[in-house]
Amino acid sequence: MAIIITDECINCDACISECPNNAIYEPDSEWAYADETALSGDVVVPGSGKEVDADEMNEPISDEFYFIVADKCTECKGFHDEPQCASVCPVDCCVPDEDNVETDEELLAKKAWLHDE
């Protein structure tokens, strides 16, 4: 399952540099699937099957606190034993997203998709 950042976030910036998929963004920041990934052009998102332009900028998910793009979050599978954002968060606001449950296999497939493996 993806990780989400709750509204208890204090915008401390600890999590953003820890994410191996560049799935975490500052409040009110536009984002793209291509940001720091191997993706470019038209791609199909694993799991949902939706077609997107990886280079297209998307609206911010939050304008108040840091946010995680669920389609880019792999819970650090294939990189670390635990989600790094949660391990460095001083207020424990990086938590599992119960609305985005994925298996280890799905998360590893997403990692391969993001990094062209």
Side-chain angles (χ1 to χ4, degrees):
M1 80 184 57
I3 304 296
I4 58 170
I5 298 175
T6 68
D7 60 5
E8 296 168 358
C9 177
I10 60 173
N11 295 326
C12 71
D13 202 15
C15 59
I16 199 164
S17 63
E18 298 297 322
C19 182
N21 301 311
N22 198 43
I24 303 174
Y25 292 86
E26 294 179 5
D28 207 27
S29 294
E30 291 187 340
W31 62 274
Y33 287 93
D35 294 338
E36 304 298 320
T37 71
L39 301 176
S40 183
D42 294 333
V43 297
V44 177
V45 179
S48 70
K50 68 182 172 186
E51 294 181 26
V52 298
D53 177 351
D55 302 301
E56 181 180 332
M57 298 308 292
N58 296 280
E59 292 293 318
I61 294 172
S62 172
D63 62 357
E64 297 177 31
F65 48 87
Y66 280 71
F67 61 88
I68 298 175
V69 175
D71 286 341
K72 293 178 71 175
C73 178
T74 64
E75 294 179 47
C76 295
K77 294 290 182 194
F79 294 104
H80 304 286
D81 293 334
E82 63 183 354
Q84 296 301 286
C85 57
S87 70
V88 300
C89 182
V91 293
D92 297 326
C93 68
C94 297
V95 299
D97 180 358
E98 301 295 333
D99 293 331
N100 284 305
V101 178
E102 297 168 290
T103 66
D104 286 352
E105 292 79 19
E106 290 170 321
L107 293 168
L108 289 170
K110 191 189 309 183
K111 174 194 178 276
W113 174 71
L114 288 167
H115 300 287
D116 199 29
E117 297 176 0

